[in-house]
Amino acid sequence: MLKYNVSFVAVNERGDNHISILKKIVSFPVYQDTTSWNLWSKLAGGKDHFLIFDKCGRLIAHMKRPDIRKFFKKTW
């Protein structure tokens, strides 16, 4: 059986005050985007986007929520 080492983090949108709710319902780290980080803008991210990086930190996929099912069907 194959084993994968996968890590998840979430970055909450700057100005969104739901981070405390997110932290209560997920088991992975949740961070708040800030003006100095500006991650959503730098990575062209958006609400419900999934950005997947390889172990070297290279972006290998950027999926918007509706595209997620297509990715997993192709991959697995």
Side-chain angles (χ1 to χ4, degrees):
M1 171 178 264
L2 294 175
K3 292 186 179 184
Y4 296 96
N5 184 8
V6 178
S7 299
F8 291 90
V9 299
V11 178
N12 196 47
E13 182 178 18
R14 191 173 58 229
D16 181 6
N17 60 356
H18 295 102
I19 192 166
S20 60
I21 296 168
L22 289 171
K23 286 182 174 183
K24 289 178 185 176
I25 62 174
V26 299
S27 61
F28 48 83
V30 179
Y31 300 99
Q32 182 68 51
D33 200 4
T34 64
T35 305
S36 60
W37 280 9
N38 201 21
L39 291 177
W40 277 41
S41 180
K42 288 177 183 174
L43 298 172
K47 182 173 176 8
D48 298 328
H49 286 202
F50 292 83
L51 287 84
I52 300 174
F53 297 87
D54 67 12
K55 64 183 178 182
C56 296
R58 294 178 295 228
L59 180 65
I60 60 168
H62 180 175
M63 299 169 292
K64 295 179 182 176
R65 187 171 177 231
D67 297 335
I68 220 47
R69 289 189 190 116
K70 294 177 191 173
F71 174 78
F72 286 112
K73 285 181 182 177
K74 287 180 186 176
T75 306
W76 302 349

